[in-house]
Amino acid sequence: MTLSLISLMYRDIAELWLFLKRSTDEIMHQDIAPLCAADIEDQLKKQFAYLSGGRGQDGCPVITFPDYPAFSEIPEKEFQNVLTYLTSIPSLQDTGIGFILVIDRRQDKWTSVKASVLRIAASFPGNLQLVLVLRPTGFLQRTLSDIAFKFNRDEFKMKVPIIMLSSVPELQSYIDKTQLTEDLGGTLDYCHSRWLSHRTAIESFALMVKQTAQMLQSFGTELAETELPNDVQSTSSILSAHTEKKGKMKEDMMLALKEGHTILESIREPLAKNPEYNLNQDQLDNQTTVQRLLDQLGETESAFDEFWAKHQQKLEQCLQLRNFEQNFREVKAILDVVSERLSAFTDVGNSYAHVEHMLKDLASFEEKSNEAVAKARALSLEGNQLIQSKHYAVDSILPKCNELQHLCDEFTAEMGRRRNLLHQSLELHSLLEKSMKWCDEGIYLLASQPVDKCQSQDGAESALQEIEKFLDTGAKNKIQELNKVYKEYESILNPDLKEHVQKVFQKQESMEEMFQKRQVSLKKLAAKQTRPVQPVAPRPEAFTKSPCPSPGLRRGSENASEGNVPRRGNYRRAKSEMSDIQQGRSGSMMDDEENLAILRRHVMNELIETERAYVEELLCVLEGYAAEMDNPLMTHLISPALQNKKDVLFGNMEEIYHFHNRIFLRELENYIDYPELVGRCFLERMEDFQIYEKYCQNKPRSESLWRQCSDCVFFQECQRKLDHKLSLDSYLLKPVQRITKYQLLLKEMLKYSKNCEGAEDLQEALTSILGILKAVNDSMHLIAITGYDGNLNELGKLLMQGSFSVWTDHKKGHAKVKDLARFKPMQRHLFLHEKAVLFCKKREENGEGYEKAPSYSYKQSLNMTAVGITENVKGDVKKFEIWYNAREEVYIIQAPTPEIKATWVNEIRKVLTSQLQACREASQHRALEQTQSLPLPTSSNTSPSKNQTKNVKKLEERKTDPAILEGYVSSASGPKNPDKSKDDTVTSSTSESSALSKKRFTLQGFANLKSQKGWTKTSYSLDAAEDNDGWSSTEEPLNSSDAEEEGGAGPKKLVPGKYTVVADHDEKGGPEALAVKSGDIVELLHEGEEGLWFVKNLTTSKEGWVPASNLLALIGNSKSAQSLSSSESGTGSTFLSSSSSCSESCNATFSDIKG
């Protein structure tokens, strides 16, 4: 059928082409005059000869030579061209008869007549029928012409006779008056310019027709020789090019037809004006010529149109075929892909949620695949329509349509089969999860039954009722027959699923066995009758004491013996009951351990189930959102702001998914039967959990991008396909929620595993997870630091971070700055690194979610090698000092709580201690050499005693012990004030100075110590009031934790009362300040704000305010007026005496200790 259609089409095209060629050949083979009017238009305009259109008696064309004075001056070439052109115009039939020449020389001379006749006779190119000469009309010239013509007749011998005419009437006897123009006395209408215009137009039209025919023939040849291409693009290009050329050809033909009709109308114009007007022969010939050209052109156009229609049909059908073939290849490739992807849906799932997710994936896949199937069916329908329209390539189209239909039907059937399998799997997993849930509920019921209450009959019966009620629910929830399940779900039972079914069934059997045991135990307790215990009377003392009882007494004894029998029976029963109680207690302990094991399994099941759900949710996000961002079909839905931002939006979620799916989940499942050992699983993979730090650090960027693009149609479409109730941002938060969930589960597991083998591992895993959470939290703050020029990674590990109130007290600072610093603390966020501590200003950002997260503007940093700390600051247990470069810069830090302060102080102490230890290890050999080379101290009143020497040795021993390093202190004043250092130094010979030194615990970096003399050693000092500004740490010696542990004295607490001043004080702080001298009696009236006391000098009767810190030095251990309370005197007096002894023992130094 196809071959016949193709051959028929090509045969029709060939016939049409031959017809078109014949039409164009007929036009092209028409002779064109050698000369055209347009070529000699200027010569014809001279009108020395013209073809008026008149005819002789025999139909001979008449050429008229009018009177032209400059006839003799016409160049021979022009003369020859005009005569040749005029003789070529009439038809071949008329020219074959011959021409009649009318030579008008009425106004000329005989000499001119003779010359004109001779020139015409010599140059005339055509046949002559007759030559008529109108001789000059003047008498003389006429006479001369008669005479000359007679005598010179031989010179005028021509092929035709020459007749000399004397007048126009004679001329009319030879040519009819109607064939002569008006200048020759005739009535023939002739206009030379009109004739010339018509001739030019006709010849131009004839040339146009010939050129059009040539182009048509050339184009037809091109079309006929065109081979059909094999691709859509080439076919479409050829069809477009041919259509364009055809359009241009049609335009040229229309122009030619229009031109021909215009000329025809111009020729017929006289008839239009006067219907009785008769056209002369030349006009009729012109009309005939134009009409013939128009007819030929019309026939050619019709032939071309018919040929083009067939050719166009051929190309269009070819283009349809190529489009169909191309679409077939594309659709078949898509069907192959979707069929291959469908064949990958072999998994039947490992949980109910997993199968649900797979069904959603399958439904989403089916929805996407339906587009491909619909395209395939539509293409098959299109092919059938082509066949019905008698397309020439039926044999090529029909097999492809059948193949498409077969692929669609096969895909639909396979999709249905896969869906049915997953529904079966969903049904099975639903049964399994119901059974597991029922088992868990049963285990929880057993674990939740209080053992002590079950010891009573009522409690046991109540517990039995609970168990029986629960067991009644098993008909709907548990697996009834395992073989029946195997048979019913045989099509989906792979080895893994079959093993899972077996485990669930075993769990169910184990749980039922537990219930049976519990029922047996409870039935025994419920069936046990409470027996009343009869009281046993004590034996009479007389019976035991009397060696010879009387008969009455003996009978009484026998009766007593007889009565003792039932009492012995009661004792045996009581003993039996006690044994039962002991067994019950032993059973209770076993039940408690069993309950703990049940709870551990419950926590383990929750851990594994939530882990599986977590992995499924990550997979759902990665496939349903992340993968769809690379799907070309979804690209148009993605907003420009979201383009190429997948890594920003999802971070390293894919890495997290692969870790949990491929590694962690599988390892957790290995511990399902040993839940108390699951801590080892966490410890083995603790380094892998560092990937969460990267995810959390990217979370602000992800959150910001989500808020910009949350309204994107792409997200809405993905959410619709996944059938999620929550938007994507809720799922992007899952990793953050999961990493925090682990520590809760570990705490719960540890709670039930206190005495188990893996308790230590659980505790260590919990600590490590909490450490990771802290590191993640710290890193979130660390990335928010702005303005720091260096590399934060070079500062070492981030140890702590938090917000504090900070006061500054710099020695080189301006006084006004100090005063302002007292009352207006700066709010700073501190970042403690291994090598530096950073001070930043916290700036809250506007926005929501992570966009509201604060940023930190960097202000300054302190190198830990030059940092010292003072643990306690008077007046606030939440304060401590960080000082820099030997107290040139002092920062008083107030923590939110004492606990936070203690944590920070301990961490800073560890950093500084580690620095000291590192330095000590590096220079330990040199330090020992320096110690051995020390000279023995000389004895004097101010020299250390033997006890001091022992203390020095003891100090040396403590110095080399890393555990004692925390007890070392150094001078807060530094080496820049040696005199003050001497004043502040306290000898170690007394226990008071030792205790006092522990109250002032400061620790500085080894760079500071190295800058002092003997930096490798440790020195004890009591910092006296240096600046008297009331808030430097050196003014306020306080208890340290070390001092309290060793029973050291604490600071004196000021109370209202009378005291004796032991030192002079001249306060210049203001008009309300009070000056006192040593020996004055002062009365402390009441305490004011900012650490000031209102004091009255009873000696001078003056009153004023004195700082509390100064009062401690002024009143010393004075108790003249009012003694301290017992709780204060023991500690305060020791401190004050130590404080007052500072100046007295200024000559005693630690020079013997310092290296």
Side-chain angles (χ1 to χ4, degrees), residues 239-252:
L239 180 59
S240 177
H242 287 183
T243 303
E244 184 179 357
K245 288 183 178 180
K246 177 256 181 184
K248 191 175 182 305
M249 293 296 302
K250 288 290 291 184
E251 290 179 2
D252 293 342

Side-chain angles (χ1 to χ4, degrees), residues 110-124:
W110 168 248
T111 55
S112 299
V113 173
K114 178 181 177 182
S116 298
V117 172
L118 291 174
R119 186 175 186 183
I120 292 171
S123 302
F124 195 78

Side-chain angles (χ1 to χ4, degrees), residues 324-529:
F324 178 80
E325 291 173 344
Q326 180 176 333
N327 293 336
F328 172 78
R329 288 191 295 269
E330 293 175 357
V331 170
K332 187 176 183 302
I334 295 175
L335 286 177
D336 291 341
V337 171
V338 297
S339 298
E340 184 178 356
R341 289 190 61 185
L342 180 61
S343 63
F345 278 86
T346 56
D347 192 7
V348 292
N350 52 25
S351 66
Y352 186 85
H354 188 198
V355 178
E356 271 192 331
H357 180 64
M358 292 181 65
L359 275 171
K360 290 180 181 178
D361 287 346
L362 185 65
S364 176
F365 172 70
E366 184 178 11
E367 183 179 356
K368 296 176 184 177
S369 303
N370 283 340
E371 298 178 5
V373 174
K375 286 183 179 179
R377 295 191 185 278
L379 186 61
S380 177
L381 180 62
E382 180 183 342
N384 290 326
Q385 290 175 351
L386 291 178
I387 294 173
Q388 292 175 2
S389 63
K390 298 182 179 180
H391 196 283
Y392 68 85
V394 174
D395 290 345
S396 175
I397 297 173
L398 185 59
K400 292 180 175 62
C401 292
N402 295 334
E403 183 177 359
L404 288 175
Q405 192 66 35
H406 173 70
L407 289 175
C408 291
D409 294 341
E410 186 179 21
F411 176 81
T412 303
E414 181 65 17
M415 178 65 73
R417 192 181 71 83
R418 297 288 180 185
R419 191 188 304 107
N420 292 335
L421 289 177
L422 286 179
H423 278 297
Q424 272 191 310
S425 178
L426 187 69
E427 184 179 344
L428 176 58
H429 280 290
S430 175
L431 176 62
L432 294 177
E433 293 198 0
K434 280 184 180 180
S435 177
M436 291 178 66
K437 184 179 179 182
W438 184 68
C439 292
D440 291 340
E441 290 176 354
I443 293 172
Y444 183 77
L445 174 62
L446 293 178
S448 62
Q449 286 184 341
V451 178
D452 53 347
K453 293 184 179 180
C454 293
Q455 299 301 319
S456 65
Q457 184 176 5
D458 293 339
E461 290 178 352
S462 176
L464 271 174
Q465 291 176 1
E466 289 181 355
I467 290 177
E468 290 172 357
K469 183 178 179 181
F470 176 78
L471 290 176
D472 290 341
T473 63
K476 298 179 181 179
N477 296 315
K478 69 177 184 178
I479 301 174
Q480 301 294 342
E481 297 180 17
L482 190 61
N483 292 331
K484 184 178 180 182
V485 172
Y486 287 162
K487 184 177 181 181
E488 184 176 356
Y489 300 102
E490 182 180 3
S491 58
I492 61 171
L493 279 177
N494 55 33
D496 293 337
L497 186 54
K498 191 171 184 179
E499 182 182 0
H500 182 48
V501 172
Q502 290 174 351
K503 286 183 178 180
V504 172
F505 189 74
Q506 290 173 1
K507 181 178 180 180
Q508 178 180 300
E509 288 183 331
S510 299
M511 192 273 296
E512 290 177 336
E513 184 179 354
M514 291 169 59
F515 265 78
Q516 291 173 1
K517 290 181 179 178
R518 179 64 63 89
Q519 280 180 310
V520 171
S521 178
L522 290 175
K523 286 178 180 178
K524 288 181 180 180
L525 293 173
K528 187 183 301 181
Q529 297 297 326

Side-chain angles (χ1 to χ4, degrees), residues 916-975:
L916 288 173
Q917 179 66 16
C919 181
R920 183 175 300 280
E921 290 175 356
S923 60
Q924 186 176 10
H925 182 69
R926 182 169 58 86
L928 292 174
E929 289 179 353
Q930 291 175 352
T931 303
Q932 293 172 0
S933 64
L934 288 177
L936 294 174
T938 59
S939 59
S940 64
N941 295 334
T942 58
S943 299
S945 62
K946 294 181 179 180
N947 293 333
Q948 180 180 355
T949 305
K950 293 179 180 179
N951 291 338
V952 171
K953 292 181 178 179
K954 184 177 181 181
L955 184 62
E956 288 295 336
E957 292 173 358
R958 293 179 62 191
K959 178 177 62 178
T960 59
D961 186 2
I964 310 300
L965 285 174
E966 295 183 0
Y968 284 162
V969 293
S970 61
S971 173
S973 60

Side-chain angles (χ1 to χ4, degrees), residues 874 1030 1054 1087-1093 1105-1111:
K874 181 195 171 182
L1054 292 175
E1087 186 178 10
E1089 298 178 353
E1090 302 174 3
L1092 297 177
W1093 276 82
W1105 294 93
V1106 179
S1109 58
N1110 292 348
L1111 283 174

Side-chain angles (χ1 to χ4, degrees), residues 703-720:
E703 183 75 11
S704 177
L705 179 61
W706 164 256
R707 294 195 176 278
Q708 293 178 25
C709 308
S710 58
D711 296 332
C712 181
V713 181
F714 170 77
F715 293 128
Q716 298 173 4
E717 179 65 16
C718 291
Q719 183 177 350
R720 184 188 66 79

Side-chain angles (χ1 to χ4, degrees), residues 203-417:
E203 292 171 0
S204 175
F205 176 62
L207 182 61
M208 180 185 295
V209 171
K210 186 173 184 179
Q211 291 175 346
T212 301
Q214 289 176 344
M215 289 188 293
L216 282 175
Q217 189 174 31
S218 176
F219 182 52
T221 304
E222 179 183 351
L223 296 183
E225 295 176 355
T226 299
E227 294 183 1
L228 297 180
N230 293 323
D231 61 288
V232 174
Q233 185 64 32
S234 300
T235 307
S236 179
S237 299
I238 290 176
L239 180 59
S240 177
H242 287 183
T243 303
E244 184 179 357
K245 288 183 178 180
K246 177 256 181 184
K248 191 175 182 305
M249 293 296 302
K250 288 290 291 184
E251 290 179 2
D252 293 342
M253 293 176 69
M254 294 303 297
L255 288 175
L257 289 171
K258 184 178 180 180
E259 181 70 16
H261 287 293
T262 302
I263 297 172
L264 195 60
E265 289 176 359
S266 177
I267 295 173
R268 294 175 177 176
E269 184 179 0
L271 287 174
K273 294 179 179 180
N274 184 11
E276 297 180 357
Y277 182 85
N278 294 321
L279 299 175
N280 59 42
Q281 189 60 43
D282 285 347
Q283 290 174 328
L284 292 174
D285 290 343
N286 289 341
Q287 178 179 333
T288 303
T289 300
V290 173
Q291 188 62 52
R292 177 174 51 81
L293 291 174
L294 287 173
D295 294 341
Q296 291 176 345
L297 191 60
E299 292 175 358
T300 303
E301 181 186 14
S302 298
F304 175 76
D305 288 343
E306 193 172 353
F307 170 73
W308 166 256
K310 288 293 184 180
H311 177 75
Q312 184 181 26
Q313 181 185 6
K314 179 184 71 173
L315 287 180
E316 286 178 348
Q317 287 188 350
C318 178
L319 182 60
Q320 290 172 349
L321 177 63
R322 300 299 176 243
N323 275 318
F324 178 80
E325 291 173 344
Q326 180 176 333
N327 293 336
F328 172 78
R329 288 191 295 269
E330 293 175 357
V331 170
K332 187 176 183 302
I334 295 175
L335 286 177
D336 291 341
V337 171
V338 297
S339 298
E340 184 178 356
R341 289 190 61 185
L342 180 61
S343 63
F345 278 86
T346 56
D347 192 7
V348 292
N350 52 25
S351 66
Y352 186 85
H354 188 198
V355 178
E356 271 192 331
H357 180 64
M358 292 181 65
L359 275 171
K360 290 180 181 178
D361 287 346
L362 185 65
S364 176
F365 172 70
E366 184 178 11
E367 183 179 356
K368 296 176 184 177
S369 303
N370 283 340
E371 298 178 5
V373 174
K375 286 183 179 179
R377 295 191 185 278
L379 186 61
S380 177
L381 180 62
E382 180 183 342
N384 290 326
Q385 290 175 351
L386 291 178
I387 294 173
Q388 292 175 2
S389 63
K390 298 182 179 180
H391 196 283
Y392 68 85
V394 174
D395 290 345
S396 175
I397 297 173
L398 185 59
K400 292 180 175 62
C401 292
N402 295 334
E403 183 177 359
L404 288 175
Q405 192 66 35
H406 173 70
L407 289 175
C408 291
D409 294 341
E410 186 179 21
F411 176 81
T412 303
E414 181 65 17
M415 178 65 73
R417 192 181 71 83

